[in-house]
Amino acid sequence: MIDLSVDMQQYDCPFIDTTTDHDVAFAAAHWEFHPVAEELECRMVVEGADRGALDNGLHALQEHDHMHEIDLLAKRDDVAHLKTVMGQTDAMETIRRNDGYITGPFYIEDGSEMWHVGFDDEGRADGTLSELEKANEFDVVERDSVTLPSMNDIVQNAGAAMTLIGGCRDLSDVERTTLETAANEGYFESPRETTLGDLADEFGVSKPAVSKNLRRGQQKMVERVVDALSELDD
């Protein structure tokens, strides 16, 4: 299996057009293609820079010629959950015609869309990329050859991976920023490349405050890692 991560700029995608004109971003975790109608149905999460940007983006998406249907499932502040139905784009048709398939979520922001697509062999992948160049602009961000043992490992350990992702989501913004900064600046290295005092100065808080945020973030992540390890053992 050839797994591609592609930064795609389609000219007939309503989501890309909307993020070009409005300060919103879309993420799709679930999708289904209806071959007879040639329509793509998605459950989307859309986030705006603020509530006004979200409202303007939703209105623009609703009015787009290529968008067939939008149902607002939930909305709170600057985030909404949508069910959308859109027509097949040129890139979708090209990938499907070459037996390509989606391997991960879509993410659309600032006029481009990150796709994760798979092909069963190198020839299909290369031929599809050549065809896509005729009507689309894109960059292949990552290309991996996934072996059968690797695929089996990914499927069997999906639960452990989701446990770790859940731990990341449990972090508060302050805890996440503190952990990321500490790791990036070498706080966890031996010997340490930065000190607690340096981090306190960077965040403009006391050393006890930084220490507390680090401990809380570490505790949450370690608990999830232990849970994930038990799932791997199972």
Side-chain angles (χ1 to χ4, degrees):
M1 170 185 169
I2 309 302
D3 194 27
L4 303 176
S5 297
V6 183
D7 188 2
M8 178 73 68
Q9 297 180 29
Q10 302 181 81
Y11 302 117
D12 54 354
C13 175
F15 299 114
I16 288 180
D17 286 347
T18 301
T19 63
T20 299
D21 299 330
H22 302 278
D23 198 359
V24 294
F26 295 92
H30 176 269
W31 54 91
E32 181 178 1
F33 187 77
H34 302 290
V36 175
E38 295 188 343
E39 292 179 331
L40 182 69
E41 178 181 325
C42 296
R43 298 298 191 279
M44 309 287 296
V45 174
V46 52
E47 182 176 5
D50 51 44
R51 188 161 187 165
L54 175 64
D55 290 340
N56 291 335
L58 291 176
H59 178 74
L61 189 67
Q62 181 74 60
E63 296 299 314
H64 198 283
D65 292 340
H66 211 59
M67 183 58 62
H68 297 177
E69 179 184 336
I70 295 181
D71 290 330
L72 181 61
L73 303 177
K75 182 181 177 185
R76 182 174 180 180
D77 298 327
D78 57 358
V79 179
H81 184 205
L82 311 174
K83 172 188 172 184
T84 65
V85 179
M86 60 177 285
Q88 179 174 231
T89 66
D90 176 82
M92 288 181 199
E93 193 277 331
T94 299
I95 289 173
R96 290 187 63 255
R97 178 162 36 80
N98 286 279
D99 295 328
Y101 42 89
I102 302 301
T103 60
F106 299 104
Y107 186 77
I108 309 105
E109 186 177 25
D110 294 331
S112 68
E113 181 175 14
M114 185 61 68
W115 281 24
H116 302 280
V117 295
F119 297 90
D120 292 331
D121 58 66
E122 294 272 2
R124 287 285 189 182
D126 292 338
T128 303
L129 293 176
S130 296
E131 288 188 42
L132 285 173
E133 287 180 336
K134 299 175 183 178
N136 303 275
E137 293 185 19
F138 64 89
D139 292 310
V140 178
V141 178
E142 191 171 355
R143 177 174 180 144
D144 294 315
S145 296
V146 183
T147 63
L148 187 59
S150 297
M151 293 174 62
N152 186 55
D153 194 42
I154 291 170
V155 172
Q156 287 191 344
N157 296 311
M162 292 306 299
T163 296
L164 293 177
I165 292 172
C168 295
R169 289 174 176 162
D170 285 344
L171 296 172
S172 69
D173 290 342
V174 172
E175 292 164 353
R176 176 176 178 174
T177 302
T178 304
L179 280 175
E180 287 178 342
T181 303
N184 290 335
E185 298 189 5
Y187 179 77
F188 300 111
E189 299 295 328
S190 182
R192 285 177 173 166
E193 298 174 4
T194 192
T195 67
L196 203 61
D198 294 332
L199 294 174
D201 291 340
E202 186 165 345
F203 288 108
V205 298
S206 65
K207 288 196 290 185
V210 171
S211 178
K212 180 175 68 175
N213 291 329
L214 281 174
R215 288 198 309 273
R216 286 179 175 175
Q218 286 176 282
Q219 181 179 358
K220 289 179 181 179
M221 291 308 303
V222 168
E223 288 175 351
R224 290 298 187 126
V225 167
V226 172
D227 291 340
L229 287 172
S230 67
E231 294 181 43
L232 288 175
D233 291 339
D234 293 340

